[in-house]
Amino acid sequence: MLVSFLFIAGVILAEFVQVLVDRKDHSSSFFDRSRCDHCKKTVPWYGMIPILGYFLVKGKCIHCNKSISLRYPLFEVIFALLWGISLVFVSGSILNSILFLSFLLLSSYVALSDLINHEVRIDGLTAYLVSFIILSHIVLKNQLDLLSAFAMIAIMVLSVFVIKIAKRGKREKLQVYLGGADWAVLIIVSAFISLQNTTLVLVGALVIIGIISVFPKGASLVKKGIPLLAFVVPLVFVYVLLKVSSIL
């Protein structure tokens, strides 16, 4: 019963993550009704039901008949799968379950913000990093490894230097490749899961980005700025999940 409640609560909260990402500029209140991206009319209550809502409205706005992005149900399905798998491997401790849910929600927020908006709010990023550190200490029992953190800083500084040389001093282009949020996440993560594992996560993210950029929509997305955290953060969560399940 408790597991079922936690699963349903997690999936419902995932819906609010998308609301936060879509209302990045806070031009409308968080408590306002969700509206169609095209005609701006309110979405019916049944259209807000996680996963099912998309199919109940047949993937279109009931007012203007414009198609609704597949991003919404796809995100909800992936979140439900990850959260369901997490509940299987997380111990019976309610605290551990809450920590995992918080970490997954914040991971989703950071990844979606970077993918959709190409930026991450500082409060959301800070909350993500704090949740990661707490989870690392309480659940993974990891200790702070400053040597790995300093090594990651050195690698990233070298990367910036190489990019700068390649771009012949065009500093304004550096932000496209390595933003402040990228630095913060990679350095903090490497301090707790080791430089080697963080490097594997980073390489995995770059490989995924490379594959996606082959397709037209992926290429247009990358042109706006490489959404590194959109792929690094989910892979960090997968690493944590594998660690808890004793697969790693």
Side-chain angles (χ1 to χ4, degrees):
M1 181 64 71
L2 177 61
V3 173
S4 299
F5 172 77
L6 288 172
F7 177 77
I8 294 173
V11 173
I12 291 174
L13 287 172
E15 181 73 24
F16 289 100
V17 169
Q18 300 203 85
V19 173
L20 284 174
V21 172
D22 288 339
R23 302 181 186 181
K24 63 169 184 174
D25 57 357
H26 290 246
S27 57
S28 58
S29 170
F30 175 75
F31 297 101
D32 285 349
R33 292 283 300 276
S34 294
R35 299 176 181 276
C36 170
D37 293 333
H38 304 284
C39 66
K40 307 304 178 183
K41 292 185 178 180
T42 57
V43 177
W45 66 267
Y46 53 86
M48 297 298 296
I49 300 174
I51 302 175
L52 294 178
Y54 180 84
F55 300 99
L56 291 175
V57 297
K58 299 179 181 180
K60 296 181 179 180
C61 172
I62 64 171
H63 302 290
C64 65
N65 209 36
K66 294 284 188 179
S67 297
I68 298 173
S69 174
L70 273 171
R71 165 173 72 90
Y72 297 100
L74 186 60
F75 167 77
E76 291 161 0
V77 168
I78 294 174
F79 185 95
L81 287 173
L82 287 175
W83 180 223
I85 294 171
S86 299
L87 286 173
V88 172
F89 291 112
V90 175
S91 64
S93 168
I94 296 179
L95 175 60
N96 286 354
S97 297
I98 293 175
L99 287 175
F100 248 88
L101 177 57
S102 300
F103 183 55
L104 180 54
L105 288 169
L106 290 166
S107 297
S108 301
Y109 172 75
V110 171
L112 267 184
S113 294
D114 195 39
L115 184 65
I116 306 301
N117 302 328
H118 291 279
E119 63 179 9
V120 183
R121 286 175 55 87
I122 187 64
D123 49 0
L125 179 66
T126 302
Y128 166 77
L129 292 174
V130 170
S131 71
F132 171 74
I133 293 172
I134 293 174
L135 192 69
S136 296
H137 274 298
I138 297 179
V139 180
L140 300 183
K141 310 296 183 183
N142 287 345
Q143 300 298 318
L144 180 65
D145 183 1
L146 290 177
L147 184 60
S148 291
F150 284 124
M152 177 57 71
I153 292 174
I155 290 173
M156 295 183 74
V157 168
L158 179 61
S159 299
V160 169
F161 178 74
V162 171
I163 293 170
K164 183 177 179 180
I165 294 298
K167 289 295 177 179
R168 297 180 181 179
K170 294 181 180 179
R171 295 183 181 181
E172 67 274 10
K173 295 292 184 181
L174 295 181
Q175 186 67 18
V176 174
Y177 296 90
L178 285 173
D182 300 329
W183 282 72
V185 170
L186 289 173
I187 292 170
I188 296 297
V189 168
S190 63
F192 286 92
I193 70 171
S194 81
L195 176 65
Q196 179 182 3
N197 290 324
T198 306
T199 302
L200 288 174
V201 166
L202 179 57
V203 170
L206 292 174
V207 168
I208 294 173
I209 292 172
I211 294 173
I212 290 176
S213 63
V214 173
F215 302 94
K217 286 189 176 180
S220 63
L221 178 69
V222 172
K223 282 183 179 179
K224 297 177 183 177
I226 298 176
L228 189 61
L229 292 186
F231 302 96
V232 166
V233 168
L235 289 178
V236 169
F237 181 84
V238 170
Y239 168 83
V240 171
L241 187 57
L242 292 174
K243 194 73 174 178
V244 170
S245 62
S246 299
I247 294 177
L248 291 180

